[in-house]
Amino acid sequence: DVKKILGKDKKAIKISDLKGKHVVVWFFPKAMQVAEDEANGFREKQKDFAELNTVVVGASTDVLDDQNKFTAKETLNFPLLADTTQELTKACGILRPNGFANRITFVVDPKGKIAKIYDKVDVKKHPEEVYAFIKKNLADKK
């Protein structure tokens, strides 16, 4: 269900909980296989993002159980969305023929408008790149 995002405390987060905040939604192809570097980078920057009123959400087409295992294995401190119906991934135009999401990040401003789309990602540098963008371009424009 794309209307619910499971947080680190295993509680559902409502989309309305994100209103008035910057939201980073980074899509990755597959939990436990190709997302560790990027996930760990976002985990390490979590406090910095929070200081900029920013919520980070990871998303893939994996089932919720795989997302939970990935969260535990990497000790992630942000929620992961399990888009099992591929509804959101299709709507964003980023579903691959193999059923996985492309590696793309959307930065949404507090008014709900997409401020930036990253379609080319260096997984080791990407979390810092997103943080720098928000700090420079969005943090003062609430």
Side-chain angles (χ1 to χ4, degrees):
D1 184 350
V2 297
K3 294 177 180 67
K4 292 183 181 177
I5 302 169
L6 191 68
K8 63 183 182 213
D9 58 1
K10 309 258 190 281
K11 293 183 181 174
I13 296 171
K14 296 180 224 152
I15 298 300
S16 60
D17 294 339
L18 306 176
K19 188 175 181 179
K21 298 182 182 207
H22 302 65
V23 180
V24 174
V25 183
W26 65 277
F27 286 87
F28 55 93
K30 189 93 175 118
M32 308 291 283
Q33 291 182 11
V34 294
E36 289 87 354
D37 287 335
E38 197 171 9
N40 290 330
F42 279 116
R43 181 194 66 222
E44 291 169 11
K45 297 289 300 171
Q46 194 60 25
K47 183 177 177 183
D48 296 330
F49 278 113
E51 288 173 0
L52 296 180
N53 193 33
T54 301
V55 175
V56 174
V57 177
S60 75
T61 58
D62 290 305
V63 296
L64 192 55
D65 189 48
D66 288 347
Q67 299 292 42
N68 288 335
K69 288 176 186 172
F70 186 48
T71 296
K73 178 181 176 273
E74 302 299 328
T75 59
L76 300 181
N77 53 5
F78 55 86
L80 297 179
L81 182 144
D83 185 19
T84 56
T85 64
Q86 302 173 343
E87 181 181 345
L88 179 62
T89 310
K90 285 178 187 173
C92 291
I94 61 171
L95 185 66
R96 295 178 182 177
N98 64 4
F100 300 141
N102 278 317
R103 188 179 302 278
I104 292 190
T105 300
F106 295 89
V107 179
V108 182
D109 72 16
K111 294 179 182 175
K113 305 248 185 223
I114 295 175
K116 179 95 172 152
I117 299 172
Y118 293 91
D119 59 359
K120 295 195 179 1
V121 174
D122 177 333
V123 296
K124 293 187 179 189
K125 297 177 183 176
H126 187 56
E128 180 59 42
E129 172 185 44
V130 173
Y131 171 77
F133 171 80
I134 293 170
K135 186 173 183 178
K136 180 180 179 190
N137 296 292
L138 300 180
D140 295 330
K141 302 172 188 172
K142 294 180 182 177

